[in-house]
Amino acid sequence: MSRARLHDMSLIAVPLVFAAALHAQAVPPAPAAAPDLSDPEVAHVAVTANNIDINAAKFAQTRTHNAGVKQFAATMITDHTAVNAQAAALAGKLGVTPKDNAVSQSLQTAAADARKKLEPLHGAAFDRAYMDREIAYHQAVLDAIDKVLIPTTDNAELKTLLQNVRPAVATHLELAKALRARLK
Amino acid sequence: MIGRFAIVLPLAVFAAGGGRYGPSRTHIIEIHGMAFHPASLNVSVGDTVVWINHDIVPHTATGSGRRKWDSGQLQQGDSGRYVPRRAGRAPYTCSLHPTMKGLLIIGRE
């Protein structure tokens, strides 16, 4: 997917961004509609996105023998757990209950598909596929934060949380690219 | 670790005033936006360097050169400290996010 295309995406494109990343397909189908996301729905999307990467990392820890990949997976678990704790604390403070929605469901479906593709892989092939997936996923999350989640969020504190999370996601992407470059 | 920060903070206030108070100074390095601020810092042997993490995710300040020290994981609001005993350059990193790098340039007392 080109950045120019991402720039033009509407709100419904969030699941397509993630799905395209997880399936490593070049161009997703054009979005059909553009429903807005409420703040409880944005919160649910954020928590879901974190949980997906935590679960992927936990699976990687059971499969990889590469020390670098193990460390990366451990960092993903630590960081995304910390972000979810902040999100839960903020939701409690604001009296907001994260609300399931089509975007979250799309993320979960895409994550399940990605997991199926990783399941049969072992050794270096698994490491490469997992890191490729992490690069695509974090790039997609970064794009979604910039172009959809932050712009569509009304609550100032939730928006600030998303803005504070952004540098961590960018660093994860940088780490993933550097590690992937070292894998044979 | 917050309690330790509470102890060293008054020294930092004196240090920030430009004068040297007592046998050593305390320097504060803020961690935010997945980076050390300042990334490079001039200190003296015996000074205390304090890292304060403001990020949502945990960080460490871990010696990456010949000097070995490790703050351990600093959660948001936590602080860690290091007192260099020898002059020279002391690079460090966050062990959780190795793209985060910092440098202490340690002069003689």
Side-chain angles (χ1 to χ4, degrees):
Chain A
M1 184 185 304
S2 70
R3 294 192 64 81
R5 181 176 179 82
L6 282 170
H7 185 72
D8 295 329
M9 287 193 334
S10 53
L11 297 180
I12 190 62
V14 178
L16 296 174
V17 171
F18 285 100
L22 295 174
H23 292 291
Q25 292 173 346
V27 179
D36 200 353
L37 293 175
S38 66
D39 284 358
E41 288 172 333
V42 169
H44 197 278
V45 169
V47 170
T48 299
N50 281 308
N51 283 336
I52 285 171
D53 209 50
I54 290 169
N55 290 333
K58 287 180 176 176
F59 176 60
Q61 286 188 321
T62 68
R63 185 61 62 90
T64 186
H65 299 288
N66 182 291
V69 175
K70 274 189 186 293
Q71 176 59 55
F72 177 86
T75 296
M76 294 307 102
I77 293 169
T78 299
D79 286 3
H80 288 290
T81 299
V83 173
N84 266 355
Q86 288 267 342
L90 178 58
K93 177 186 172 187
L94 300 176
V96 169
T97 302
K99 184 181 178 185
D100 196 9
N101 57 86
V103 175
S104 294
Q105 291 162 11
S106 173
L107 292 180
Q108 288 163 339
T109 300
D113 290 346
R115 173 69 173 265
K116 285 179 186 172
K117 291 180 179 176
L118 287 175
E119 286 277 3
L121 302 176
H122 295 270
F126 173 84
D127 293 339
R128 289 192 297 269
Y130 170 63
M131 294 313 304
D132 283 342
R133 182 261 185 206
E134 287 297 295
I135 291 169
Y137 190 75
H138 281 92
Q139 183 63 65
V141 170
L142 207 53
D143 289 334
I145 287 173
D146 288 343
K147 298 180 175 66
V148 180
L149 298 181
I150 288 177
T152 200
T153 298
D154 293 322
N155 182 273
E157 289 183 84
L158 180 55
K159 193 184 285 278
T160 297
L161 176 63
L162 292 166
Q163 288 166 335
N164 289 341
V165 167
R166 190 194 186 284
V169 177
T171 296
H172 292 171
L173 177 60
E174 192 179 350
L175 288 170
K177 286 180 176 177
L179 178 55
R180 177 63 181 88
R182 294 198 300 271
L183 295 176
K184 296 178 182 177
Chain B
M1 289 183 182
I2 292 174
R4 184 164 52 195
F5 169 57
I7 292 170
V8 300
L9 184 57
L11 292 176
V13 171
F14 283 106
R20 193 174 182 95
Y21 184 83
S24 66
R25 293 176 60 180
T26 295
H27 305 266
I28 303 293
I29 296 176
E30 313 270 359
I31 307 174
H32 59 83
M34 306 299 283
F36 299 107
H37 303 275
S40 178
L41 182 65
N42 289 289
V43 304
S44 297
V45 169
D47 285 356
T48 299
V49 183
V50 178
W51 288 264
I52 307 172
N53 180 24
H54 299 287
D55 273 342
I56 293 173
V57 299
H59 293 296
T60 76
T62 306
S64 55
R66 285 185 298 177
R67 299 162 199 258
K68 301 301 179 190
W69 84 88
D70 184 9
S71 66
Q73 283 194 18
L74 305 176
Q75 305 297 325
Q76 188 176 38
D78 283 352
S79 65
R81 56 185 279 179
Y82 171 62
V83 179
R85 299 298 182 190
R86 288 182 293 109
R89 297 166 70 86
Y92 64 93
T93 186
C94 169
S95 64
L96 297 172
H97 312 99
T99 51
M100 294 172 57
K101 298 182 188 303
L103 175 67
L104 299 179
I105 302 167
I106 305 159
R108 300 191 186 283
E109 194 171 4

